[in-house]
Amino acid sequence: MVRSTIPFHVMVKPAGPACNLACQYCFYLDKSSLYPESQAFRMDEATLEEFIRQYFQYQPGPVVPFAWQGGEPTLMGLEFFRKVVELQKHYLPPGWRVENALQTNGTLLTEEWCRFLRENGFLVGLSLDGPPELHDAYRHTKQGGPTSTAVLRGLHLLQDSGVEYNILCVVNDVNAQHPLEAYDFFREQGVQHIQFIPLVEHLGNGEVTTRSVPALDYGRFLTAVFNQWATYDLGRIFIQLFEECVSVWAGYGARLCVLAETCGRGLILEHNGDVYACDHFVFPEFRLGNLWEHPLDELVESTQQQNFGANKRDGLPSYCRRCTVRFICNGGCPKDRFLLTPQGQGGLNYLCAGYKQFFTYVAPFMEELAALFHQQEPPELMREAAAARVDALWRHVGRNEPCPCGSGKKYKKCCQVLQ
């Protein structure tokens, strides 16, 4: 047995692309075309057990994270996940610990589900794009109806049952225009952990769908939320990207693969045991093999996967290498690097303009917060310092003055419209 010296992560899709909803921007529903022979997408018990056995066998430990996603993983039913827990306990090495995360749309959750999730320490990621009028713009039932009522019911079940959860909010062309409305809604719902994920749907030749969030709009969205968070909620609400910024500026590096210099340690396991390079690269050319034919350590350490991960760094255009925020951005996710630089070189991230605006804007905040963090100052003092900086930048800005966000536009044509 050879354990990996560097942890790797496998996101499991036990129900493949199967889902009970039909969200317009779901990029995984069409993955059913990869398995035209499948009448139903359902991981069998033998494949589940083989995965769990190998996953423990090749991880360095002592904490082993499991992630269950889809499609919609709750379609597998509670008995499947009871079997998951049983097998994990059977193969868990002495002194090690399991962490389970389940990503769901929340519409199939029940009190019984929530009891199981709480009792077994599952972290639940719940997809919710803001208040109903924003969430229902693209998240639909198979009949085209709204889903917000069912999702909010799931959220309240999680809260009432004491299940640890976070919110995954996809930022699209609609809710990007209402950052404070979205953020205030999450606050009112008692949410404490949020991820804001940009929607980028590439059509080819640098074109994107109309649903995709414009790059600068994403930057302005983040800036507006950051100002609100820094003023009122720092230390009380945890927003993934902001926490990542603090970590990088404090010298601890990025934990999020999107911001890391290289990638390739986060793989995908399909219902039949097929392993792919990444959640966003489930295409035939990125299939690494099947765990029944090749052990997980062989797949994750394969030349193909090593090259995939290193290309995030090695394929970065010279324009990005000279950028002042490269140390935090690192070119973003490779799936979004389909634009040309001003010099005509390929590999520029679609979100570049928004990233550069936001990271430049928060830089002085982060330098101050990092210093206070190293001084072990309490969150209250950090929040006061950030709030004072926000106030100094924005309180007296005139409509015709440059917008403090750094976009280069006048305030009246930039962030003022988002207030």
Side-chain angles (χ1 to χ4, degrees):
M1 179 179 70
V2 179
R3 295 195 184 278
S4 174
T5 57
I6 304 174
F8 63 95
H9 187 262
V10 177
M11 183 185 293
V12 188
K13 295 183 179 281
C19 188
N20 61 315
L21 302 183
C23 301
Q24 287 188 34
Y25 54 67
C26 179
F27 67 91
Y28 226 81
L29 291 177
D30 64 356
K31 298 303 177 185
S32 58
S33 62
L34 293 173
Y35 302 98
E37 74 286 355
S38 294
Q39 298 300 312
F41 293 90
R42 189 174 184 87
M43 180 175 286
D44 60 42
E45 188 174 314
T47 302
L48 173 66
E49 181 168 4
E50 180 64 12
F51 163 66
I52 290 175
R53 184 190 69 79
Q54 288 193 33
Y55 202 45
F56 281 126
Q57 181 178 3
Y58 300 121
Q59 289 283 6
V63 179
V64 181
F66 286 78
W68 309 93
Q69 200 170 60
E72 177 50 48
T74 58
L75 287 173
M76 296 297 294
L78 258 176
E79 288 309 310
F80 175 85
F81 284 96
R82 289 193 174 105
K83 190 64 180 180
V84 165
V85 172
E86 177 187 325
L87 289 169
Q88 287 174 338
K89 290 178 179 177
H90 177 73
Y91 287 103
L92 183 68
W96 285 28
R97 177 166 57 88
V98 169
E99 292 181 346
N100 279 295
L102 176 77
Q103 176 61 33
T104 178
N105 59 44
T107 61
L108 300 178
L109 293 177
T110 62
E111 290 183 358
E112 186 181 12
W113 260 107
C114 290
R115 269 196 309 275
F116 168 82
L117 295 169
R118 184 193 67 244
E119 290 171 358
N120 292 282
F122 275 66
L123 169 65
V124 174
L126 182 69
S127 297
L128 180 61
D129 291 350
E133 64 273 17
L134 299 181
H135 174 89
D136 289 331
Y138 296 123
R139 291 195 178 272
H140 300 160
T141 65
K142 290 186 180 295
Q143 293 73 40
T147 60
S148 57
T149 298
V151 176
L152 287 173
R153 176 182 167 277
L155 170 62
H156 298 150
L157 278 172
L158 292 170
Q159 292 173 327
D160 293 344
S161 301
V163 178
E164 187 179 357
Y165 72 94
N166 58 39
I167 293 295
L168 277 67
C169 173
V170 174
V171 183
N172 52 63
D173 68 314
V174 176
N175 60 7
Q177 307 307 314
H178 306 278
L180 299 186
E181 185 178 345
Y183 181 59
D184 287 345
F185 174 77
F186 292 138
R187 295 172 73 204
E188 291 163 5
Q189 294 296 318
V191 172
Q192 292 183 307
H193 297 268
I194 311 170
Q195 298 177 34
F196 290 113
I197 303 169
L199 176 64
V200 181
E201 297 177 305
H202 187 206
L203 295 173
N205 298 318
E207 299 295 321
V208 297
T209 63
T210 57
R211 295 188 294 261
S212 299
V213 59
L216 279 174
D217 285 3
Y218 183 56
R220 294 194 308 163
F221 176 95
L222 293 174
T223 300
V225 173
F226 177 83
N227 288 339
Q228 196 82 343
W229 171 82
T231 301
Y232 301 107
D233 301 316
L234 191 159
R236 291 194 286 247
I237 293 178
F238 303 90
I239 298 177
Q240 184 187 52
L241 184 60
F242 303 166
E243 300 296 318
E244 287 289 311
C245 287
V246 174
S247 177
V248 171
W249 259 277
Y252 298 106
R255 295 157 294 183
L256 186 64
C257 62
V258 171
L259 301 181
E261 186 177 32
T262 60
C263 57
R265 305 301 291 185
L267 289 74
I268 292 297
L269 179 70
E270 284 289 344
H271 68 291
N272 67 340
D274 281 351
V275 179
Y276 290 84
C278 169
D279 187 28
H280 294 286
F281 289 85
V282 179
F283 301 103
E285 61 269 34
F286 293 99
R287 181 180 178 274
L288 300 174
N290 188 287
L291 61 74
W292 284 109
E293 302 164 358
H294 304 279
L296 280 176
D297 70 326
E298 183 179 311
L299 297 177
V300 74
E301 303 297 348
S302 66
T303 300
Q304 179 182 349
Q305 186 66 359
Q306 294 299 304
N307 290 341
F308 173 83
N311 189 58
K312 185 176 192 288
R313 174 195 61 218
D314 300 341
L316 203 60
S318 55
Y319 176 78
C320 296
R321 296 178 189 277
R322 297 192 299 267
C323 181
T324 56
V325 297
R326 179 199 169 181
F327 72 98
I328 172 81
C329 171
N330 281 307
C333 183
K335 80 176 181 67
D336 298 329
R337 284 161 55 168
F338 51 78
L339 295 185
L340 297 178
T341 69
Q343 294 76 33
Q345 187 178 5
L348 182 67
N349 196 299
Y350 166 82
L351 295 166
C352 173
Y355 278 147
K356 191 167 186 178
Q357 177 267 309
F358 175 70
F359 291 136
T360 301
Y361 173 77
V362 298
F365 289 89
M366 291 300 163
E367 290 167 1
E368 185 172 18
L369 291 176
L372 293 172
F373 178 82
H374 285 303
Q375 294 166 20
Q376 298 184 325
E377 298 292 354
E380 292 77 15
L381 192 148
M382 299 171 73
R383 186 167 59 248
E384 290 174 8
R389 188 178 288 274
V390 170
D391 184 70
L393 280 172
W394 294 86
R395 175 183 282 189
H396 300 298
V397 61
R399 295 181 69 251
N400 291 306
E401 294 182 48
C403 187
C405 79
S407 67
K409 297 181 180 181
K410 291 183 178 180
Y411 178 53
K412 66 181 180 183
K413 293 185 176 182
C414 193
C415 290
Q416 187 179 31
V417 302
L418 302 179
Q419 304 306 308

